[in-house]
Each structure stands twice: as structure tokens, then as C-alpha cells.
Amino acid sequence: MSLVDDCRLVTLERFESPLGSLSPLYGGVHVPFAIKRVYYLYDVPGGAERGGHAHLALQQLIVAATGSFAVTLDDGRSRRSITLNRSYYGLYVPRLIWREITDFCTGAVCLVFASLAYDEGDYIRNYQDFLAKVRSPAAAEDLK
Ligand code: TYD
């Protein structure tokens, strides 16, 4: 299993010029996985809450490509909230972390680099199911 402390901010390289900025991102270099899929959230209305779920196997890096939003991370024991508001920061989220994304500003784009293709079977969408999973004896054993 994973801990909230295993989630970390990754600072990407920045190429700045008077014509704008550019940040490259490589799987296996900036994130500890090969990037299998990219998706993004956009046109998110004010007050919306996205991403109330955890994944059994998927790892991800979340980037505020434009604007800002808050990511709340929960490992079943502790919670931490991080505001993403710079395009050159990525938030690495390992497997088995419950995450919620809120407080989207108008026009925010949440870009997600994922280790796996979309698979509904990899989702845990019920918080009680998530707690049961991460608080199981097998999960505790995994932490030792
Ligand atoms: P979901 O992951 O539930 O979005 P969020 O957690 O941000 O609220 O996905 C919303 C819908 O989009 C759901 O019907 C599944 C679909 N979807 C795909 O088809 N492919 C994808 O890569 C993702 C992330 C979602």
C-alpha cells in the first residue's frame, strides 16, 4: 500500500523565453513509470469535485497545465491537501491513494499522466471500500 507521504511534488525543467515557456516530461525520468495514457479535465464548473476515487494499480502525475485546483490525498490514515497552480510542478500519486480534486479556477486544465490504460476494474469508487482495503491485515503487513 501507499502513504500520503509517498506523494510528492516533481519540479519539471523549464525553458523560458519571451515567447513563452516549455516543460518536457519523460516517463521513467520525471515519474517512476512508463506513461501509457494522458487525459485532461477542462471546462470544470465552479464548485465541482472530481476524482473521488483510488486506483488498485495505476500511478499518476497530475499537472495544473492552466490555472489552479486543489488535490486532497488520503491513505486511509492521514489526509493532505496540495494546491497546484504552476505548469512546471507535477504531483506524483502512487497506487492506493484516495484523491479528490476541488477548487478549480475558471479555465483550469488538469492534465494527468497515467501508468495504465483506462480500466474501470482498477478503480475503487467507494470510500468505505477503500478504507477496508487499506486497513486490511494484508495492507498493514505490506507497510512493515
Ligand atoms: P472519472 O475517472 O470517473 O473522472 P473523475 O474521477 O475525474 O471525476 O471518468 C469520468 C468518465 O470518463 C467515466 O465515465 C470514465 C471515462 N474515462 C474514460 O473513458 N477514459 C479515461 O481515460 C478516463 C480517465 C475516464
Side-chain angles (χ1 to χ4, degrees), residues 37 39 41 49-53 55 99 101 117-118 120 123 125:
R37 172 173 54 120
Y39 69 91
L41 303 172
E49 293 185 16
R50 303 286 315 226
H53 60 246
H55 286 279
R99 62 137 169 100
I101 311 180
Y118 173 72
E120 187 59 37
Y123 280 73
R125 291 195 182 271

Side-chain angles (χ1 to χ4, degrees), residues 15-95:
F15 293 93
E16 296 176 315
S17 85
L19 301 179
S21 302
L22 182 154
S23 291
L25 169 57
Y26 286 90
V29 176
H30 301 98
V31 289
F33 57 83
I35 297 166
K36 189 84 177 258
R37 172 173 54 120
V38 177
Y39 69 91
Y40 43 101
L41 303 172
Y42 54 97
D43 289 347
V44 180
E49 293 185 16
R50 303 286 315 226
H53 60 246
H55 286 279
L56 291 169
L58 182 129
Q59 305 171 66
Q60 58 201 300
L61 187 87
I62 304 174
V63 176
T66 301
S68 64
F69 48 81
V71 185
T72 300
L73 305 160
D74 181 335
D75 59 19
R77 287 174 174 75
S78 54
R79 278 174 96 88
R80 185 156 67 111
S81 192
I82 295 174
T83 296
L84 291 180
N85 56 11
R86 292 281 181 269
S87 317
Y88 51 84
Y89 284 135
L91 176 62
Y92 169 70
V93 183
R95 65 188 282 265

